[in-house]
């Protein structure tokens, strides 16, 4: 074992001696280490738009204000090239590329599409509910999509769309939240059937005076894409319990 270790150490000793001998003959040069400072890249500041006069600042303000209003209405983007062309054509007095009625329809459609995307959860909730509800015992469905359930039959006269009726009612959202009730006010409501939501106009003509129905009204037959106040969101499917008390005071 000692022999093997000595054999292994010989090259090391020889190399050490050689290095020491060489070091004596060589002039040692002392190195000075220079620490490099990190280079900081300074990005040029983004210069604001150059408003040379009132026209420049007003033009930008008009564009920014218009875009802000459109964005608050639900739009997220537009075809900016055609937007600018429309503005230029109007100021230049050129005829519009589309007729006024088509223009109004296009504007209405794009807002409607954006609104449906925003309230897609509410729309889908109503659609799913009505699909399941129409399978429930006693529920009947009209051609328009109105669903109703007879809670208490009556034997009085049926109203026409031009009649005025006296009714008690309670209205709720699908989650059970009540948004209106004549029962709570202890005061039935007198109303002309041609001035209420179409779900009521259609549904109450099915009723005899003295009857009580429950209506399941799709948003298209209720308050539609606008909703009603803070209590009825857009695209809400509604549930009403309605008791028809009188028709034209009879």
């Amino acid at each position: 074992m000692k022999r093997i270790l000595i054999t292994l150490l010989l090259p090391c000793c020889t190399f050490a001696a050689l290095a020491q001998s060489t070091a004596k003959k060589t002039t040692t040069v002392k190195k000075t280490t220079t620490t490099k400072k990190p280079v900081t890249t300074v990005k040029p500041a983004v210069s604001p738009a150059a408003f040379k006069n009132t026209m420049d600042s007003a033009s930008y303000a008009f564009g920014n204000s218009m875009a802000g209003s459109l964005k608050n209405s639900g739009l997220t983007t537009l075809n900016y090239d055609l937007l600018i062309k429309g503005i230029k054509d109007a100021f230049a007095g050129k005829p519009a590329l589309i007729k006024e009625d088509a223009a109004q329809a296009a504007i209405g459609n794009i807002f409607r599409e954006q609104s449906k995307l925003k309230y897609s959860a509410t729309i889908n909730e109503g659609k799913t509910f009505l699909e399941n509800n129409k399978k429930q015992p006693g529920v009947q469905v009209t051609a328009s999509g109105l669903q109703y359930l007879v809670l208490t039959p009556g034997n009085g006269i049926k109203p026409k769309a031009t009649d005025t009726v006296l009714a008690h009612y309670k209205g709720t959202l699908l989650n059970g939240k009540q948004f209106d009730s004549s029962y709570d006010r202890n005061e039935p409501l007198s109303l002309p059937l041609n001035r209420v939501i179409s779900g009521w106009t259609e549904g109450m003509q099915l009723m005899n005076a003295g009857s009580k129905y429950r209506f399941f009204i799709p948003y298209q037959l209720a308050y539609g894409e606008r909703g009603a106040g803070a209590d009825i969101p857009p695209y809400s499917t509604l549930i009403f319990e309605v008791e028809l008390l009188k028709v034209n005071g009879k």
Side-chain angles (χ1 to χ4, degrees):
M1 177 65 73
K2 290 182 179 179
R3 186 175 300 174
I4 294 174
L5 289 174
I6 292 171
T7 304
L8 291 174
L9 288 173
L10 279 175
C12 297
C13 295
T14 305
F15 177 78
L18 179 61
Q20 187 175 2
S21 173
T22 306
K24 291 179 180 179
K25 297 178 182 179
T26 305
T27 304
T28 304
V29 179
K30 186 177 181 182
K31 281 189 175 183
T32 303
T33 303
T34 305
T35 304
K36 293 184 179 181
K37 295 182 179 180
V39 179
T40 303
T41 304
V42 179
K43 294 182 179 180
V46 179
S47 59
F51 299 135
K52 297 179 181 179
N53 48 45
T54 302
M55 178 62 73
D56 288 353
S57 55
S59 298
Y60 178 83
F62 277 130
N64 192 261
S65 177
M66 180 177 65
S69 296
L70 292 173
K71 186 175 180 180
N72 289 337
S73 299
L75 290 180
T76 56
T77 187
L78 286 171
N79 185 322
Y80 304 118
D81 292 337
L82 289 176
L83 174 67
I84 296 300
K85 179 171 177 54
I87 293 173
K88 287 182 176 180
D89 286 352
F91 274 109
K94 294 181 180 180
L97 298 180
I98 54 178
K99 294 182 179 180
E100 184 175 354
D101 56 348
Q104 293 301 320
I107 292 172
N109 288 338
I110 195 170
F111 278 118
R112 195 170 295 110
E113 290 171 4
Q114 293 296 321
S115 180
K116 282 187 174 182
L117 286 175
K118 181 178 180 181
Y119 292 99
S120 59
T122 303
I123 295 172
N124 292 333
E125 179 188 27
K127 183 178 180 180
T128 300
F129 171 83
L130 293 171
E131 281 295 319
N132 294 328
N133 189 65
K134 68 182 182 182
K135 302 172 187 176
Q136 300 302 313
V139 174
Q140 301 183 59
V141 186
T142 69
S144 69
L146 174 69
Q147 298 182 8
Y148 66 95
L149 179 65
V150 179
L151 301 177
T152 304
N155 54 14
I157 63 174
K158 287 185 177 182
K160 299 185 294 293
T162 53
D163 287 335
T164 298
V165 300
L166 184 69
H168 257 315
Y169 68 94
K170 177 179 72 172
T172 61
L173 303 176
L174 292 183
N175 61 10
K177 180 181 178 182
Q178 180 177 293
F179 54 81
D180 196 8
S181 174
S182 65
Y183 293 105
D184 290 352
R185 295 190 297 271
N186 196 28
E187 182 181 356
L189 180 67
S190 177
L191 51 91
L193 285 186
N194 57 4
R195 294 186 182 180
V196 293
I197 58 175
S198 57
W200 268 51
T201 303
E202 178 185 0
M204 294 195 72
Q205 291 182 77
L206 303 172
M207 302 177 69
N208 297 89
S211 65
K212 185 175 183 179
Y213 280 33
R214 179 175 293 141
F215 294 116
F216 309 92
I217 305 180
Y219 75 85
Q220 300 94 326
L221 304 178
Y223 294 97
E225 61 196 46
R226 294 180 180 275
D231 295 325
I232 303 176
Y235 300 99
S236 291
T237 295
L238 304 178
I239 301 175
F240 281 98
E241 286 189 9
V242 181
E243 185 179 358
L244 179 56
L245 303 176
K246 294 179 180 180
V247 178
N248 290 331
K250 299 178 182 178

